[in-house]
Every structure is written in structure tokens, then in C-alpha cells.
Amino acid sequence: MNKTEQEQQYDYLMSKIIAPYLKDLDYKKKGNNFRFYDTNGEFGKIVNFQKSMWGNKYSISFTVNVGIYLAEFEYYHRKKNSGEKFTEPACAVRRRIGRLKNDRDTWYNINEETNIAQLQQTVEGDFVKYVLPYLNKIKTREDVINLLCIESSYYPIARIKTLYNNGKQQIALNLLGDEYRTATDVGKQLLDDLKQQLNDGKGI
């Protein structure tokens, strides 16, 4: 089935406007994802183009998600290691382009009224100014650990375990205390169990 003009414009934006920046940095494109993975350090970076579920082939709304992946972190979170096939939801740190801009959630729209040239310029400008600098800060596994020290994660227990087992024990214990103060009763039980593991020297 032939794609609509809006779908073609969306594909062009990803493949011709954004892809060249990432190809030069050894990212591999698959579907709506651009993925970089360092086999030696077992860490990765991903750019994910996400379409809104409320759109259609004539009116496309999309945003850009960014993720920083660490195999060890994923194991602590869900007892698996996806390696170079990791996805954005498995990442230790996940951000949307709007947050990188220190703005509200940012969505871009392609419909019959869209000025395509202006849209391409806006998306490319935001990508170059906010996404690339954020990703390019991460060059080693240690950079991922340091990022986890200062940036929140959707998975706080996995964050605490990762930091604790990578020489950041005091930071991990401080984070555990912070989580405990706002946790539900069930959450507190999980944190109590984790604290006991750490006190026993098991780490995980």
C-alpha cells in the first residue's frame, strides 16, 4: 500500500535529516530506532522516534525519546541482558526531547497544513542543540555510572543496585533513604529488603 505524503515526509525526516548525524557516530537504524552499542563496556545509547497513538496516516504527531543503556542495570531491573538489541524502555536513563530542552513535553506535527521546510528546520535544530550534546557526553561505561549519580531513573531500585556495586555506595544509600521517605508500604518493604541485601554485603 502506498504511503501518504505525510508518512513519506516523516520517513524523510528520520532517514535524510536526522540519520546522517547518527550514522557518522556509528549508530545503526532499525525501524524508528537509532542505536549505538559498545560491546566492551556493555553500554549503549538510543534515539527513538515515537508516533502518537492518536494520530493517523494523514496527521502524524511524534516526539523524540533518548535513552542511555547499561547491561548491568537492565539485569538488576528485569533479570535479562538484551545487549546490542536493547530498547529505549530498558534504558537506565530515559529522556524526551522536551525535557532536554528544559521545556514542556514537545511533540511535532505533520499534516496537510504543515510547513514542511520549517518543521524540518525545527526538528533538526532541536536535535543538534539538545539531543546530540546529551548523547555525546556518554563515551564510556564510567560516564553512564556518573550520569546515574545525578539523574533520576524510572527504576530507582535498579539505579541503587548499580551505583552500590560500582563504587558509589554512599550515593546509593542516600538515594535509598530518599526513596524510602516517599514510598508506599509495599515500596518500603522492597526497600527494606534491598537495604538488608546491601548490609549483608550481597550488593544485589
Side-chain angles (χ1 to χ4, degrees), residues 10 16 141:
Y10 175 80
K16 302 300 182 182
R141 186 180 186 282

Side-chain angles (χ1 to χ4, degrees), residues 32-44:
N32 291 329
N33 295 308
F34 297 88
R35 187 184 290 106
F36 168 89
Y37 187 71
D38 183 288
T39 304
N40 294 326
E42 294 192 313
F43 74 93

Side-chain angles (χ1 to χ4, degrees), residues 68-140:
I68 307 298
Y69 174 80
L70 185 65
E72 178 183 355
F73 182 99
E74 186 189 17
Y75 178 78
Y76 294 143
H77 171 50
R78 50 187 193 176
K79 293 295 185 287
K80 66 180 293 185
N81 181 344
S82 301
E84 60 187 14
K85 295 181 180 180
F86 73 94
T87 59
E88 187 265 338
C91 287
V93 177
R94 302 164 61 194
R95 298 290 178 263
R96 277 192 176 161
I97 193 168
R99 180 163 179 179
L100 296 181
K101 293 170 62 177
N102 295 318
D103 200 354
R104 294 178 298 177
D105 201 12
T106 298
W107 290 79
Y108 307 96
N109 300 297
I110 303 177
N111 52 51
E112 293 180 353
E113 300 177 357
T114 300
N115 182 321
I116 295 302
Q118 183 176 344
L119 175 70
Q120 291 174 351
Q121 183 177 19
T122 298
V123 175
E124 182 178 15
D126 286 350
F127 188 81
V128 171
K129 185 174 181 180
Y130 300 105
V131 174
L132 281 181
Y134 184 81
L135 292 173
N136 289 341
K137 290 188 300 183
I138 306 300
K139 296 181 172 63
T140 66

